[in-house]
Amino acid sequence: MNKLFSVLLFVALGATAFTVEAADVGIPALTLTTGENGETNYSVTLQVLALMTMLTFLPAMLIMMTSFARIIIVFSILRQALGLQQTPSNQIMVGMAMFLTLFIMTPVLDKVYVEAVQPYANEELPMLEAFQKASVPFRDFMMLQTRESDLGLFMKISATPEVASADEIPFTVLVPAFVTSELKTAFQIGFMLFIPFLVIDLVVASVLMAMGMMMLSPVIISLPFKIMLFVLIDGWALVIGTLAASFGI
């Protein structure tokens, strides 16, 4: 958890480095210094100001650049397929999705911590270079989960010229392509989860119609059978295992 907290703080701080312009005049407390190699180092006061500003973007970064979106969508579709409106509650589902995201993203976070956060904390790397190194593991993760068709779509929309390698694809193209692929994959998994529960609903509805009990809601009768089936097949372990396997874990 300490590594995760350090990485999130580092990402929030480093993301502002590209929005701050170096200038000789300004607020005296916000000072910039240029190193011997031409790199720019920011004062502690400016770093704290940038950190507090970028903390508001952490939820969006968590959703858009990690496995969180796919997991929470699949959990929501599963709850609807079971016919349960408030069980598990939203808080439990979000908590499960966050910790499963942490489990899946641990290799990426460890690499960011070793290659960027630690050298930056030890003053071995300037902020911009450390942030660039931190973006590489996230870029590799997103590239593995992004479909070429989605990537080509956003490159076409943004009129991005052809690139020689994946490292040259800008984040403004990669992130929306990654999110689109995640939505498509999440709905595919959700569709496969929905089918067996839909069959149970159809069977129960047919039986009730044959018995002439048309006024009785099929959902009331099918719900215990769907819950029993889900428990008997160890559904939560299967769903979580499938989600982890879909990321190559």
Side-chain angles (χ1 to χ4, degrees):
M1 293 300 293
N2 290 334
K3 287 185 178 180
L4 173 63
F5 185 70
S6 301
V7 169
L8 291 178
L9 289 181
F10 175 77
V11 171
L13 175 60
T16 60
F18 298 101
T19 63
V20 180
E21 298 180 356
D24 294 331
V25 295
I27 303 175
L30 307 182
T31 58
L32 307 175
T33 57
T34 302
E36 297 179 356
N37 298 327
E39 72 274 9
T40 302
N41 296 317
Y42 301 91
S43 67
V44 175
T45 305
L46 182 56
Q47 291 180 5
V48 173
L49 176 64
L51 173 62
M52 298 305 296
T53 302
M54 289 303 299
L55 280 176
T56 57
F57 291 92
L58 279 180
M61 296 168 71
L62 172 66
I63 296 172
M64 298 292 105
M65 297 175 61
T66 66
S67 58
F68 182 84
R70 182 189 304 185
I71 296 169
I72 195 64
I73 291 173
V74 170
F75 283 169
S76 299
I77 294 176
L78 173 62
R79 185 172 66 177
Q80 187 173 1
L82 285 169
L84 302 171
Q85 300 300 322
Q86 298 296 331
T87 305
S89 64
N90 291 332
Q91 293 86 346
I92 294 177
M93 291 179 61
V94 171
M96 290 172 59
M98 289 186 63
F99 277 94
L100 188 55
T101 299
L102 176 60
F103 171 75
I104 293 172
M105 298 296 296
T106 294
V108 176
L109 297 176
D110 286 342
K111 188 177 293 186
V112 171
Y113 185 80
V114 171
E115 296 181 0
V117 177
Q118 276 189 336
Y120 175 72
N122 297 331
E123 299 184 354
E124 298 174 2
L125 288 177
M127 180 190 296
L128 290 179
E129 185 177 347
F131 184 68
Q132 290 173 354
K133 285 184 175 293
S135 67
V136 173
F138 282 99
R139 176 186 292 273
D140 294 341
F141 171 79
M142 289 189 289
M143 284 298 302
L144 288 175
Q145 308 300 328
T146 304
R147 292 177 173 84
E148 292 184 5
S149 59
D150 296 327
L151 196 58
L153 171 65
F154 283 96
M155 291 186 69
K156 180 180 179 181
I157 293 175
S158 62
T160 302
E162 297 247 343
V163 295
S165 64
D167 297 335
E168 299 178 9
I169 299 175
F171 261 85
T172 53
V173 173
L174 179 58
V175 172
F178 167 74
V179 174
T180 303
S181 294
E182 287 294 281
L183 291 174
K184 186 181 298 183
T185 304
F187 276 90
Q188 288 176 346
I189 298 174
F191 172 78
M192 298 304 296
L193 289 173
F194 221 107
I195 294 300
F197 301 112
L198 179 61
V199 171
I200 294 177
D201 286 333
L202 291 175
V203 171
V204 171
S206 299
V207 171
L208 292 179
M209 287 286 291
M211 296 176 62
M213 304 174 64
M214 293 176 292
M215 300 301 295
L216 182 61
S217 174
V219 176
I220 299 176
I221 306 300
S222 63
L223 180 58
F225 291 99
K226 289 190 288 187
I227 294 177
M228 181 181 65
L229 172 65
F230 192 69
V231 172
L232 288 177
I233 65 174
D234 198 8
W236 285 114
L238 289 175
V239 171
I240 293 175
T242 301
L243 283 171
S246 68
F247 290 98
I249 301 299

